[in-house]
């Protein structure tokens, strides 16, 4: 059973323990934009790269799906008159731009990393296939899975559920700007409270905006646990790997 819920010894240091051996980390495009409201914030990018490298060094195998909302979203494109399919293709290409930025930031600090794309575009990245991704992960290479699912009408959240299952990740870690899932938007409702755990069904029934329904349903149908946490606080990714309860776990 690949879905480890217990603690796994860190192969590089017998005294340290890691909660998850293989993860799929979802980063939204929006969080990459930092304070500037558009595009890529260099500081945020470097901070993400450091956090990723530090858990890779502890032996965690890391697949990353990155969004494109900081550059283009198909749905907002249609409001401006773009054809939906073309708009979504533009969105998927935006995720590739972000993937290359993250690859470059990881390489700059000496972390082995490869970009695999769901749409053929060598030499930008190799064409994705799950076996290749798993081979790279087993060698300790961080793998960035760019281009979402490769199909329009999906989001990178759904791409994350799909890729997490394909690469047999123990968990999908959704790094966001908030520290978990709340009963209501904590920025609008001061009475909103945070869930430590929640079921997939409750996320869907309450209409919580943490992930789209397709992504949540796919995780539910295949028993993929999702952990939502604030990736913008330095060191938080490491805390999640250590098993610290800093976010919200979505489970059956
Ligand atoms: N997209 C798509 N198919 C996919 C993944 C993404 O068509 O499988 C497009 C879609 O237009 C989406 C955009 O790429 O709006 C950017 O992805 P997303 O909105 O998920 O990015 P995030 O919100 O995570 O920044």
């Amino acid at each position: 059973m690949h879905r480890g819920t217990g603690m796994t010894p860190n192969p590089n240091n017998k005294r340290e323990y890691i909660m998850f051996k293989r993860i799929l980390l979802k980063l939204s495009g929006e969080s990459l934009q930092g304070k500037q409201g558009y595009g890529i914030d260099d500081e945020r990018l470097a901070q993400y790269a450091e956090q990723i490298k530090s858990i890779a060094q502890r032996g965690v195998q890391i697949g990353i799906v990155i969004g494109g909302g900081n550059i283009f979203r198909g749905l907002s494109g249609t409001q401006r008159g773009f054809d939906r399919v073309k708009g979504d293709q533009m969105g998927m290409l935006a995720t590739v731009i972000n993937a290359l930025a993250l690859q470059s930031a990881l390489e700059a600090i000496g972390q082995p990393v490869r970009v695999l794309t769901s749409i053929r575009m060598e030499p930008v990245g190799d064409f994705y296939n799950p076996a290749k991704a798993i081979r790279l992960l087993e060698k300790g290479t961080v793998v960035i899975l760019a281009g979402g699912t490769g199909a329009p009408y999906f989001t990178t959240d759904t791409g994350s559920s799909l890729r997490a299952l394909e690469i047999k990740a123990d968990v999908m870690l959704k790094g966001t700007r908030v520290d978990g899932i709340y009963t209501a938007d904590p920025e609008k409702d001061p009475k909103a409270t945070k869930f430590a755990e929640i079921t997939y069904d409750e996320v869907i029934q309450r209409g919580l905006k943490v992930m789209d329904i397709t992504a949540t349903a796919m995780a539910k149908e295949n028993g993929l646990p999702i952990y939502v946490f604030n990736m913008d606080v330095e060191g938080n990714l490491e805390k999640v790997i250590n098993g610290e309860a800093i976010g919200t776990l979505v489970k059956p």
Side-chain angles (χ1 to χ4, degrees), residues 26 28-30 67-69 72-74 88 91-92 148-152 154-156:
K26 160 74 207 290
S28 80
E30 244 172 42
F72 199 87
R73 277 210 178 91
D88 280 343
M92 287 186 266
T149 62
F154 288 105
T155 62
T156 49

Side-chain angles (χ1 to χ4, degrees), residues 106-127:
L106 283 162
E107 276 171 353
I109 54 171
Q111 173 58 48
V113 51
R114 286 274 281 279
V115 169
L116 302 182
T117 62
S118 57
I119 301 163
R120 276 218 120 98
M121 55 174 88
E122 297 98 336
V124 168
D126 287 351
F127 190 40

Side-chain angles (χ1 to χ4, degrees), residues 13-208:
N13 182 345
K14 294 279 174 283
R15 286 166 305 166
E16 275 184 12
Y17 283 82
I18 53 178
M19 190 72 183
F20 307 109
K21 194 165 178 291
R22 181 177 297 165
I23 63 164
L24 188 293
L25 176 65
K26 160 74 207 290
L27 298 174
S28 80
E30 244 172 42
S31 33
L32 265 194
Q33 71 195 11
K35 288 176 228 92
Q36 59 195 25
Y38 181 82
I40 299 164
D41 178 76
D42 299 341
E43 230 172 88
R44 173 62 47 76
L45 190 65
Q47 194 245 73
Y48 280 179
E50 285 294 348
Q51 290 201 67
I52 292 161
K53 183 186 174 187
S54 71
I55 64 159
Q57 281 181 332
R58 290 177 59 196
V60 180
Q61 298 179 13
I62 310 159
I64 301 172
V65 166
I66 192 154
N70 55 325
I71 301 172
F72 199 87
R73 277 210 178 91
L75 211 51
S76 18
T78 54
Q79 286 151 18
R80 291 158 46 198
F82 284 92
D83 168 71
R84 173 73 194 261
V85 174
K86 296 269 185 298
D88 280 343
Q89 287 169 338
M90 291 165 74
M92 287 186 266
L93 293 177
T95 73
V96 178
I97 294 176
N98 286 335
L100 295 178
L102 185 60
Q103 178 184 36
S104 161
L106 283 162
E107 276 171 353
I109 54 171
Q111 173 58 48
V113 51
R114 286 274 281 279
V115 169
L116 302 182
T117 62
S118 57
I119 301 163
R120 276 218 120 98
M121 55 174 88
E122 297 98 336
V124 168
D126 287 351
F127 190 40
Y128 168 78
N129 83 62
K132 188 189 282 176
I134 290 171
R135 268 199 308 277
L136 288 165
L137 290 170
E138 283 170 347
K139 281 198 293 187
T141 303
V142 170
V143 181
I144 306 176
L145 305 159
T149 62
Y153 292 95
F154 288 105
T155 62
T156 49
D157 278 348
T158 307
S160 303
S161 293
L162 174 64
R163 296 297 185 235
L165 292 164
E166 283 183 298
I167 67 166
K168 300 181 168 48
D170 300 321
V171 68
M172 170 178 155
L173 300 184
K174 187 170 155 78
T176 67
R177 290 180 297 184
V178 276
D179 63 352
I181 305 177
Y182 282 77
T183 48
D185 184 345
E187 281 164 16
K188 292 183 192 142
D189 183 351
K191 286 200 215 99
T193 53
K194 192 177 110 181
F195 295 98
E197 288 187 3
I198 188 168
T199 64
Y200 307 107
D201 285 338
E202 236 185 318
V203 169
I204 297 170
Q205 278 155 17
R206 286 174 175 259
L208 298 173

Side-chain angles (χ1 to χ4, degrees), residues 173-252:
L173 300 184
K174 187 170 155 78
T176 67
R177 290 180 297 184
V178 276
D179 63 352
I181 305 177
Y182 282 77
T183 48
D185 184 345
E187 281 164 16
K188 292 183 192 142
D189 183 351
K191 286 200 215 99
T193 53
K194 192 177 110 181
F195 295 98
E197 288 187 3
I198 188 168
T199 64
Y200 307 107
D201 285 338
E202 236 185 318
V203 169
I204 297 170
Q205 278 155 17
R206 286 174 175 259
L208 298 173
K209 295 276 175 290
V210 58
M211 282 206 336
D212 57 83
I213 296 173
T214 317
T216 312
M218 188 168 193
K220 179 193 166 187
E221 279 167 13
N222 297 285
L224 171 73
I226 300 165
Y227 198 76
V228 182
F229 72 105
N230 185 347
M231 177 79 185
D232 293 358
V233 175
E234 243 171 290
N236 266 4
L237 182 58
E238 187 127 24
K239 286 185 182 165
V240 173
I241 294 303
N242 292 341
E244 286 182 42
I246 60 166
T248 301
L249 176 68
V250 189
K251 58 179 203 58

